[in-house]
Amino acid sequence: MSDLSAAFVRLHARLAPVPFVPEVRLHQADEPIGLWELTEGEFRSAQPPPFWAFAWAGGQGLARYVTDHPELVAGRRVLDLAAGSGLVAIAAARAGAAAVRAVEVDERAVAAVALNAEANGVRIDAEFGDILDGDAGGAEVVLAGDVFYSEAMARRMLRFLLRAARSGARVLVGDPGRAFLPRERFHELAAYDVPVPEALESVRVKHTTVWELDPAPPGAAR
């Protein structure tokens, strides 16, 4: 991680427990709007929004599920896709994953993942890059929190996740009812009411579901 990105994370976020997964501490921003504007926002530059600075509902739900079901990842190679803060990756590492790779397209997010992993005493390989046109790199479990927030992202994400599942990986996503989740491709594993920052979601609690991807086409014979 770059020194500048790490310094930015330390300056604008403070280490605190995650509301729904208090076993994990993350560098989190107190006030989302000011930080969003500081990083120039989603619509004013190519710089990604600061997804790394908040514990989003999908990631919290998925991290809770991994924490409560360590057998999912224990001894396995795990990929946390669009990792944000690294919350899900940290949960997987704490649950005994053999190796955890966290991938992000934001350099500050990569720095946040590294800092958060250090704060939680776990090892994570934080990687900068867009891998959605590739493959899961041998991961046995692929985890993705809150990634179906736009139509374009949802299309690319589903294609990647299907390739991973058809290669033998278990693929789980955490989603708080985003509009572009292709529900017909998933089956439900768990559901939670997750506390979230009201300034981000306009509510204090988001009903969040953990889904597992079915690699077979909808309606295919089992």
Side-chain angles (χ1 to χ4, degrees), residues 79-173:
L79 170 63
D80 180 11
L81 192 59
S85 65
L87 168 59
V88 177
I90 291 166
R94 293 184 72 257
V100 183
R101 177 187 178 205
V103 179
E104 252 293 344
V105 297
D106 182 350
E107 290 183 358
R108 289 170 180 157
V110 174
V113 171
L115 290 171
N116 290 331
E118 181 181 5
N120 287 275
V122 296
R123 177 173 178 174
I124 293 171
D125 294 322
E127 178 180 328
F128 173 72
D130 182 343
I131 65 169
L132 291 184
D133 293 327
D135 59 39
E140 298 167 280
V141 181
V142 177
L143 305 172
D146 221 329
V147 293
F148 292 98
Y149 53 81
S150 76
E151 186 174 8
M153 173 62 88
R155 286 197 301 266
R156 294 190 70 211
M157 184 64 64
L158 181 60
R159 288 194 294 266
F160 179 93
L161 296 178
L162 283 170
R163 286 195 300 274
R166 289 166 181 166
S167 296
R170 289 192 68 181
V171 176
L172 275 66
V173 305

Side-chain angles (χ1 to χ4, degrees), residues 10-203:
R10 291 190 180 100
L11 180 62
H12 295 287
R14 64 181 179 87
L15 199 60
V18 175
F20 201 60
V21 196
E23 300 94 329
V24 175
R25 297 188 303 156
L26 298 178
H27 288 84
Q28 301 170 70
D30 292 322
E31 201 283 302
I33 303 305
L35 181 58
W36 201 293
E37 292 174 345
L38 184 64
T39 57
E40 297 191 288
E42 186 173 13
F43 304 108
R44 285 167 31 200
S45 83
Q47 177 67 30
F51 293 126
W52 56 266
F54 311 102
W56 297 81
Q60 289 197 69
L62 188 52
R64 182 73 268 159
Y65 186 84
V66 170
T67 298
D68 293 342
H69 299 85
E71 68 280 1
L72 170 69
V73 298
R76 294 183 170 90
R77 299 182 302 277
V78 175
L79 170 63
D80 180 11
L81 192 59
S85 65
L87 168 59
V88 177
I90 291 166
R94 293 184 72 257
V100 183
R101 177 187 178 205
V103 179
E104 252 293 344
V105 297
D106 182 350
E107 290 183 358
R108 289 170 180 157
V110 174
V113 171
L115 290 171
N116 290 331
E118 181 181 5
N120 287 275
V122 296
R123 177 173 178 174
I124 293 171
D125 294 322
E127 178 180 328
F128 173 72
D130 182 343
I131 65 169
L132 291 184
D133 293 327
D135 59 39
E140 298 167 280
V141 181
V142 177
L143 305 172
D146 221 329
V147 293
F148 292 98
Y149 53 81
S150 76
E151 186 174 8
M153 173 62 88
R155 286 197 301 266
R156 294 190 70 211
M157 184 64 64
L158 181 60
R159 288 194 294 266
F160 179 93
L161 296 178
L162 283 170
R163 286 195 300 274
R166 289 166 181 166
S167 296
R170 289 192 68 181
V171 176
L172 275 66
V173 305
D175 187 88
R178 303 298 185 205
F180 299 103
L181 174 74
R183 288 172 179 79
E184 71 278 3
R185 306 305 301 254
F186 293 86
H187 64 269
E188 181 179 326
L189 296 179
Y192 309 102
D193 290 323
V194 178
V196 293
E198 189 172 10
L200 288 177
E201 301 281 12
S202 302
V203 295

